C-alpha cells in the first residue's frame, strides 16, 4: 500500500507539470485551431532560465529560498512571455489566412530553431541545478517509506493555485470573454469589438507563462535540463491535451494527471525504460477509440 501511495504522489507531481504545458496547447488550438509545436521549446527555455536565475542569485548572495523562488519565477515568466509573443508574431500571424498546413510547418520550424538556438547559446551538455528545496514528509508502514518532498508539495500547490486563477480569468475577466468569443467565431468577435489579434497574442503569452511555471518545476524536481527536454515533454503534453480533449482547459489538466499517473505506475510496477511506450500507446488508443478525448466536444459542421 505504501509503495502504491509513493507512485500516486509521483504520478500527481508529474501529471501537474504535464497539465500546465498541455493547457498551452489546448488554448492555442481552441482559438486558432492549430497546434503550436514550438510550445515544448518555450518550456525548455524556461527550465534553462530557471537554472540561470538561481545561479545568478546565488552569485549575488541571495540565498533565501522563498525570495529566490519568486524572483526566478517572475523572471522566467517574463522572458518566456516574450518568446511566446514572438512565436505568434513570426510563425503564426503572417500565415493565419494561409492553407492549413502552413502554420503547422512554420511551428515545427520554429521548434527546431529554438532547440538549436539554445544548443548554441548554452551548449549541448546537460545543465544541472543543486537542490533548492531539500527534505520532505515521510510515512512508513514498516516495510516501505513514502516520501513526499517539499518540491512535490510546491508543484501541486502551485498548480492548484494557477488553475484556480486561470479558471477565474477565463470565466470572469474581459480577456477570458474575448478568448471565448474568438474560440466560437473570430469574424463575429471582431465585428463585436473584440481585438482578435491582441487576444490571440495574449493567449500565446498566457500559455508561455504556464510553460514557464512547468519549466521551473522541472528544474527544481529533476535538477537537470538539456536542450532536447522540450521535445519529449511537449509531445507528452500534447498527448495529455488529446487525452483530455484538445481545446478543453479542464481536459488538458485531467489528461496531464492521467498521463502522469500512467507513467508513474508503469515505471513502478513494470519497467522504467518503457514508460514512454505506455504514454504514447495511450495516445494511439485515444485517437482510435475516442478521437474527441475525455472532455472534448465533437466539431459540428455548419451548413
Amino acid at each position: 500500500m505504501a509503495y502504491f501511495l509513493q507512485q500516486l504522489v509521483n504520478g500527481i507531481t508529474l501529471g501537474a507539470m504535464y497539465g500546465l504545458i498541455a493547457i498551452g496547447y489546448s488554448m492555442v488550438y481552441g482559438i486558432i485551431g492549430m497546434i503550436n509545436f514550438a510550445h515544448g521549446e518555450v518550456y525548455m527555455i524556461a527550465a534553462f532560465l530557471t537554472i540561470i536565475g538561481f545561479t545568478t542569485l546565488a552569485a549575488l548572495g541571495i540565498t533565501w529560498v522563498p525570495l529566490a523562488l519568486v524572483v526566478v519565477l517572475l523572471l522566467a515568466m517574463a522572458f518566456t512571455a516574450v518568446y511566446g509573443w514572438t512565436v505568434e508574431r513570426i510563425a503564426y500571424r503572417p500565415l493565419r489566412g494561409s492553407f492549413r498546413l502552413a502554420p503547422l510547418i512554420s511551428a515545427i520550424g520554429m521548434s527546431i530553431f529554438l532547440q538549436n538556438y539554445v544548443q548554441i547559446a548554452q551548449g549541448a551538455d546537460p545543465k544541472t541545478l543543486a537542490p533548492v528545496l531539500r527534505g520532505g514528509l515521510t510515512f512508513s508502514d514498516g516495510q516501505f517509506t513514502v516520501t513526499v518532498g517539499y518540491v512535490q508539495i510546491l508543484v501541486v500547490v502551485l498548480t492548484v493555485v494557477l488553475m484556480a486563477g486561470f479558471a477565474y480569468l477565463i470565466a470572469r475577466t474581459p480577456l477570458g470573454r474575448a478568448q471565448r468569443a474568438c474560440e466560437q467565431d473570430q469574424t463575429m468577435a471582431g465585428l463585436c469589438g473584440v481585438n482578435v489579434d491582441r487576444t490571440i497574442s495574449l493567449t500565446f503569452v498566457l500559455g508561455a507563462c504556464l510553460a514557464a511555471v512547468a519549466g521551473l518545476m522541472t528544474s527544481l524536481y529533476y535538477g537537470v535540463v538539456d536542450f532536447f527536454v522540450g521535445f519529449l515533454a511537449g509531445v507528452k503534453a500534447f498527448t495529455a491535451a488529446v487525452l483530455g480533449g484538445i481545446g478543453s482547459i479542464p481536459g488538458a489538466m485531467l489528461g496531464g494527471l492521467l498521463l502522469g499517473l500512467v507513467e508513474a505506475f508503469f515505471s513502478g510496477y513494470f519497467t522504467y525504460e518503457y514508460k514512454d511506450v505506455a504514454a504514447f500507446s495511450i495516445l494511439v488508443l485515444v485517437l482510435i477509440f475516442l478521437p474527441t478525448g475525455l472532455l472534448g466536444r465533437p466539431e459540428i459542421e455548419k451548413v
Side-chain angles (χ1 to χ4, degrees), residues 72-146:
V72 171
L73 178 61
L74 292 178
L75 285 176
M77 291 175 74
F79 277 98
T80 51
V82 174
Y83 278 101
W85 180 82
T86 306
V87 166
E88 193 275 331
R89 289 302 300 266
I90 294 177
Y92 277 95
R93 187 177 296 188
L95 301 173
R96 203 176 292 165
S98 182
F99 65 100
R100 196 172 179 82
L101 282 179
L104 183 67
I105 296 169
S106 177
I108 293 173
M110 181 61 74
S111 168
I112 296 171
F113 169 79
L114 289 175
Q115 274 186 28
N116 286 274
Y117 156 68
V118 172
Q119 184 181 9
I120 292 171
Q122 296 295 321
D125 295 331
K127 302 295 180 186
T128 57
L129 176 67
V132 177
L133 284 176
R134 300 173 187 271
L137 307 176
T138 58
F139 311 93
S140 177
D141 63 353
Q143 296 180 334
F144 188 85
T145 300
V146 179

Side-chain angles (χ1 to χ4, degrees), residues 2-302:
Y3 187 71
F4 176 86
L5 290 176
Q6 183 66 72
Q7 300 309 320
L8 183 65
V9 170
N10 294 342
I12 291 174
T13 306
L14 186 60
M17 291 187 278
Y18 285 153
L20 287 178
I21 308 172
I23 289 174
Y25 283 104
S26 268
M27 280 196 310
V28 170
Y29 182 85
I31 291 183
I32 63 174
M34 297 291 174
I35 302 297
N36 177 17
F37 279 108
H39 190 61
E41 273 56 52
V42 175
Y43 151 83
M44 174 267 292
I45 289 172
F48 269 97
L49 287 170
T50 299
I51 293 179
I52 294 170
F54 278 115
T55 305
T56 305
L57 290 179
L60 294 174
I62 302 174
T63 56
W64 190 46
V65 174
L67 176 62
L69 279 174
V70 172
V71 171
V72 171
L73 178 61
L74 292 178
L75 285 176
M77 291 175 74
F79 277 98
T80 51
V82 174
Y83 278 101
W85 180 82
T86 306
V87 166
E88 193 275 331
R89 289 302 300 266
I90 294 177
Y92 277 95
R93 187 177 296 188
L95 301 173
R96 203 176 292 165
S98 182
F99 65 100
R100 196 172 179 82
L101 282 179
L104 183 67
I105 296 169
S106 177
I108 293 173
M110 181 61 74
S111 168
I112 296 171
F113 169 79
L114 289 175
Q115 274 186 28
N116 286 274
Y117 156 68
V118 172
Q119 184 181 9
I120 292 171
Q122 296 295 321
D125 295 331
K127 302 295 180 186
T128 57
L129 176 67
V132 177
L133 284 176
R134 300 173 187 271
L137 307 176
T138 58
F139 311 93
S140 177
D141 63 353
Q143 296 180 334
F144 188 85
T145 300
V146 179
T147 302
V148 184
Y150 291 136
V151 174
Q152 292 175 303
I153 296 173
L154 175 69
V155 168
V156 174
V157 170
L158 201 53
T159 301
V160 171
V161 171
L162 283 172
M163 284 304 298
F166 204 74
Y168 177 82
L169 184 145
I170 296 294
R172 301 295 179 89
T173 65
L175 174 60
R177 285 191 289 273
Q179 286 179 312
R180 284 181 281 139
C182 290
E183 180 182 1
Q184 292 180 7
D185 192 322
Q186 290 184 24
T187 304
M188 285 302 297
L191 291 173
C192 291
V194 174
N195 189 328
V196 176
D197 287 341
R198 187 176 64 182
T199 302
I200 293 175
S201 293
L202 288 176
T203 300
F204 274 79
V205 167
L206 284 174
C209 289
L210 292 178
V213 179
L216 172 79
M217 293 173 176
T218 298
S219 297
L220 291 176
Y221 190 51
Y222 294 109
V224 60
V225 174
D226 61 55
F227 73 95
F228 200 64
V229 71
F231 174 76
L232 191 57
V235 172
K236 288 183 179 178
F238 174 65
T239 303
V242 173
L243 175 61
I246 191 80
S248 166
I249 304 300
M253 182 50 71
L254 176 63
L257 288 174
L258 289 177
L259 191 66
L261 289 171
V262 167
E263 278 198 19
F265 282 108
F266 195 88
S267 302
Y269 287 99
F270 296 100
T271 172
Y272 176 81
E273 285 77 10
Y274 291 101
K275 63 182 178 65
D276 294 339
V277 175
F280 295 125
S281 297
I282 289 176
L283 175 62
V284 173
L285 292 174
V286 168
L287 289 175
I288 293 174
F289 296 106
L290 197 62
T292 58
L294 297 175
L295 302 181
R297 291 171 298 181
E299 292 187 6
I300 299 174
E301 196 78 25
K302 295 179 181 178

